[in-house]
């Protein structure tokens, strides 16, 4: 295990769980409460026995008392499909702390899922979707996932819309979509939000925020170069220009926040210069993240 | 060379360094620092309003660079003087009065004039500075690029005592320097301009510019009158010293002849004149007069003169009657010759009497002279002077003053005997003498003044002084700066050994506005050219207190300051950009 994920890092995540009220049917047995009643351990109800049913579910005490056969029904506990869309564009690795935080966040949210026997699938992307990891479940896959994450690095431009479209097109049950990104799409935040709005999964948006994003430390004559498109722009940084920059940043933030509110999505502005796990822990109130 | 006295290569290297530095600094500042950012989303928004001003910003960047370079160029060219220039170069000699080195005010003024004059002609002017001492001392030359005239002036005193003033020697040296130059001018920086030629155009077309330097208002000085024949044989010389004010270091006047005669006169501790006469001196004898002690203006505290030898004058006088011949024979040193080719002077009744003497200086006499002969001089002008002036006035006429091209020096005399005399400035010179129209035709030589007049005329024509010229050392009046308007009144007074005033003249010399100075005395044409010594007094009646002239910083200083300001601005902006 490299420096990204060490023992203490993982131990702090052990107690965190996603708490879904009702996971769709059809999953594997796990810890999430499902909508279907079946072979779980938590009693839910009685039902008149139908011939052909498993005789082991018949409640014989009720039969002795009432003389009728009733089957006991249990809440079925299934797994939660968790998709982690991980932005590996160059902008995420500028500065490197942001990339490190992105990998740690992806690892954290994946590890929490694996700890709860949920199924995890990681969708890394650069300008285009990259080969992903999973779906996997169980803690045993956790170490492989971490090893795999360790090997990731910057991969060019930002193709977040493509990736989200692809995730939307995947067959499977509705689950949780964790998007770890800076959301700096060259076409603007509008396209990203549109695509997010079309997702059927619950959304957890992890925005990677560096202090310089809101307060650029420049003055005088500079030539700003986009690290992905290599587009250049000459700027004379004056207080007025800085003010307009802050205003643009604020609008961007506001758009993201209002979208999250409308959609009922979680939005975690992850400060990349601060400890990642503590920020993730703060999101899991009482160790549970209700979905 | 340049205003700062740096060697040329150093000055221009420094200038080039400053220019290159400004250029580099500007581009280091203007060049945009590349910064890689995660996205341009926000920057696009931020500079949306800035985009229309991009062209203006670029223009302003170039504009500021151009301004800085322009200022630096101005600074360089205002302070520097390129080396040898092309064929259009003007050659300028500054002839400095040695007295200026002893007088702080005069020296400061000379330095100021040199400092102001040099930058104006930069690139086209090459200057030399000469000290008008005997012998003349060159302080800087055309071929000496390592020293400016200004720097030379600063170092002049260290080279030793400046010596006594000798304008003639100085002018000769200056002419030698300027000879053959196409554009040549001579600036004479004079504390005391006595002894300078009246004409402002020197032979060779050199223009003489007289720049007066401040002289002490009142000063002790010594003067000598023209040596005169003594009735006892030999020559007498009168030397006068004038004391101004009380106290001071000067105590006595000592007059000494090389032959051994010596006189010392103690000066009282009060204003006034002291006189000493040496009698019976021989031709060629050298007389030195000196005031003891030293005052603020030492140049007029000593003088030297030589009793002139009287060489033979060969006179060609065709058609001279017995009276004229007798008169010629009576002139000391005159010898009548029948051969015009060996003659120095001709005495003629008619101007064109003999073609073979047309190239000789001639004395024309008789009615023909009065009728302004054809081809002769222009209209006459007569002035009335005391009879005794006649002799001294002529004695001051030097041969150089009568040489062609020296200008209109025409003293005319109409004495009490009715003789009208004029000197024509033509080539050769002519002295025209005519009897009063009411006189008898032969009245000229019957006049009692005729022998003396004849002798003076011959001497003047031949270029041989009748007697030694009085060495007028120092005018006592001077000009002050700071009188804005008003006038300087000069009284000129010559004095013979007898003590009878020979000539008096008054002149008024209005000051130029703005505190510029003018020098009186020179504007008395009848008394210049070695004429009687001058004394002067400053009339303060018309004086109006004006603003004292203030020497503010030069334009080069302000330009330099501006250049420095821009450089500082560039440096500051550059550092600010770097810090960000």
């Amino acid at each position: 295990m490299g420096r990204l994920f060490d023992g203490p890092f993982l131990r702090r995540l052990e107690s965190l769980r996603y708490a879904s009220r009702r996971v769709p049917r059809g999953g594997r047995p796990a810890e999430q409460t499902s909508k279907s009643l079946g072979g779980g351990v938590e009693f839910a109800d009685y039902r008149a026995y139908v011939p052909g049913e498993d005789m082991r579910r018949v409640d014989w005490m009720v039969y002795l008392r009432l003389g009728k056969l009733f089957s006991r029904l249990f809440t079925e506990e299934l797994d939660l499909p968790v998709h982690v869309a991980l932005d590996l564009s160059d902008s995420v690795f500028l500065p490197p702390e942001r990339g490190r935080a992105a990998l740690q966040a992806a690892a954290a949210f994946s590890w929490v899922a694996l700890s709860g026997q949920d199924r995890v699938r990681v969708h890394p992307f650069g300008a285009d979707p990259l080969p992903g990891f999973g779906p996997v479940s169980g803690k045993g896959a956790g170490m492989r996932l971490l090893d795999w994450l360790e090997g990731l690095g910057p991969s060019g431009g930002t193709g977040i819309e493509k990736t989200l479209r692809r995730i939307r097109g995947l067959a499977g049950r509705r689950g949780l979509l964790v998007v770890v990104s800076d959301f700096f799409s060259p076409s603007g935040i509008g396209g990203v939000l549109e695509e997010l709005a079309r997702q059927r999964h619950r959304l957890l948006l992890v925005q990677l925020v560096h202090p310089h994003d809101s307060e650029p430390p420049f003055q005088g004559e500079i030539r700003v170069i986009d690290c992905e498109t290599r587009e250049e722009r000459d700027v004379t940084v004056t207080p007025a220009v800085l003010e307009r920059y802050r205003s643009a940043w604020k609008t961007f933030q506001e758009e993201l926040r209002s979208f999250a509110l409308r959609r009922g999505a979680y939005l975690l502005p992850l400060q990349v210069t601060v400890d990642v796990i503590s920020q993730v822990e703060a999101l899991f109130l009482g160790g549970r993240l209700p979905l | 060379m340049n205003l700062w006295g740096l060697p040329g290569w150093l000055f221009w290297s420094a200038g080039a360094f400053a220019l290159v530095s400004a250029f580099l600094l500007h581009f280091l500042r203007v060049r945009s620092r590349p910064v890689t950012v995660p996205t341009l989303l926000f920057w696009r928004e931020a500079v949306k309003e800035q985009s229309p001003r991009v062209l203006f910003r670029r223009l302003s960047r170039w504009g500021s660079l151009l301004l800085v370079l322009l200022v630096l160029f101005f600074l360089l060219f205002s302070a520097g003087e390129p080396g040898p220039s092309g064929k259009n170069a003007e050659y300028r000699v500054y002839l400095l009065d040695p007295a200026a080195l002893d007088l702080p005010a005069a020296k400061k003024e000379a330095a100021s004039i040199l400092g102001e004059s040099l930058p104006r002609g930069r690139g086209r002017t090459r200057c030399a500075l000469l000290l008008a001492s005997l012998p003349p001392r060159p302080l800087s030359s055309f071929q000496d690029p390592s020293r400016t005239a200004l720097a030379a002036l600063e170092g002049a005193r260290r080279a030793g005592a400046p010596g006594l003033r000798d304008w003639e020697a100085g002018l000769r040296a200056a002419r030698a320097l300027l000879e053959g130059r196409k554009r040549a001018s001579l600036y004479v920086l004079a504390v005391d301009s006595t002894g300078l030629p009246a004409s402002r155009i020197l032979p060779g077309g050199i223009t003489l510019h007289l720049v007066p330097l401040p002289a002490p208002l009142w000063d002790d000085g010594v003067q000598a009158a023209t040596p005169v024949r003594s009735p006892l044989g030999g020559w007498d010389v009168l030397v006068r010293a004038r004391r101004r004010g009380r106290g001071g270091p000067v105590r006595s006047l000592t007059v000494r002849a090389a032959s051994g005669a010596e006189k010392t006169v103690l000066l009282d501790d009060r204003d006034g004149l002291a006189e000493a006469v040496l009698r019976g001196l021989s031709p060629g004898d050298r007389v030195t007069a000196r005031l003891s002690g030293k005052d603020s203006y030492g140049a007029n505290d000593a003088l030297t003169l030589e009793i002139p030898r009287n060489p033979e004058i060969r006179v060609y006088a065709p058609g001279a009657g017995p009276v004229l011949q007798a008169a010629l024979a009576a002139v000391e040193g005159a010898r009548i010759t029948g051969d015009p080719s060996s003659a120095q002077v001709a005495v003629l009744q008619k101007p064109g009497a003999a073609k073979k003497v047309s190239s000789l200086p001639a004395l024309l006499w008789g009615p023909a002279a009065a009728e302004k002969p054809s081809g002769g001089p222009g209209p006459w002008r007569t002035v009335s002077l005391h009879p005794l002036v006649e002799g001294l006035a002529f004695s001051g006429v030097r041969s150089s003053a009568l040489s062609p091209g020296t200008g209109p020096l025409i003293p005319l005399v109409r004495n009490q005997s009715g003789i009208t005399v004029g000197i024509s400035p033509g080539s050769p010179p002519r002295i025209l003498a005519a009897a009063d129209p009411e006189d008898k035709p032969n009245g000229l030589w019957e006049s009692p003044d005729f022998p003396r007049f004849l002798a003076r005329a011959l001497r003047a024509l031949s270029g041989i002084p009748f007697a030694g010229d009085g060495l007028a050392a120092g005018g006592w009046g001077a000009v002050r700066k700071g009188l804005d308007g008003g006038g300087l009144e000069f009284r000129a007074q010559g004095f013979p050994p007898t003590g009878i005033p020979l000539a008096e003249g008054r002149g008024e010399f209005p000051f130029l506005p703005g505190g510029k100075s003018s020098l009186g005395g020179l504007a008395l044409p009848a008394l210049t050219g070695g004429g009687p010594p001058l004394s002067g007094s400053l009339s303060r009646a018309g004086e109006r207190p004006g603003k004292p002239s203030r020497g503010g910083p030069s334009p080069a200083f302000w330009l330099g300051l501006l250049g420095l300001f821009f450089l500082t601005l560039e440096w500051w902006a550059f550092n600010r950009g770097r810090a960000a």
Side-chain angles (χ1 to χ4, degrees), chain B residues 469-484:
Chain B
D469 295 331
L471 178 62
W476 282 324
V479 180
R480 279 276 154 246
K481 286 180 83 171
L483 295 179
D484 198 1

Side-chain angles (χ1 to χ4, degrees), chain A residues 91 94 98 184-186 188 213 216-219 221-227 230-236 241 244-245 248-249 252, chain B residues 29-51 53-54 57-58 61 576-577 579-580:
Chain A
S91 63
L94 186 76
R98 199 201 304 264
F184 293 155
S185 172
D213 292 340
F218 309 127
Q219 240 178 352
E221 304 284 342
I222 59 168
R223 172 169 295 168
V224 287
I225 304 166
D226 191 313
C227 66
R230 309 311 295 175
E231 186 186 341
E232 297 179 353
R233 186 65 67 102
D234 283 334
V235 182
T236 305
V241 168
R244 285 197 291 274
Y245 179 96
W249 169 258
F252 176 84
Chain B
R29 179 175 76 85
V30 166
R31 197 188 64 180
S32 298
R33 195 158 47 92
V35 174
T36 308
V37 293
T39 181
L40 285 187
L41 282 176
F42 314 116
W43 288 112
R44 277 198 209 103
E45 291 293 319
V47 300
K48 203 175 268 178
E49 292 176 31
Q50 224 179 15
S51 302
R53 297 205 300 259
V54 165
R57 277 193 299 127
R58 286 184 182 158
R61 286 171 184 177
R576 190 164 167 263

Side-chain angles (χ1 to χ4, degrees), chain B residues 352-363:
Chain B
K355 284 185 181 176
K356 52 190 172 185
V357 299
S358 60
S359 62
L360 280 179
L363 167 66

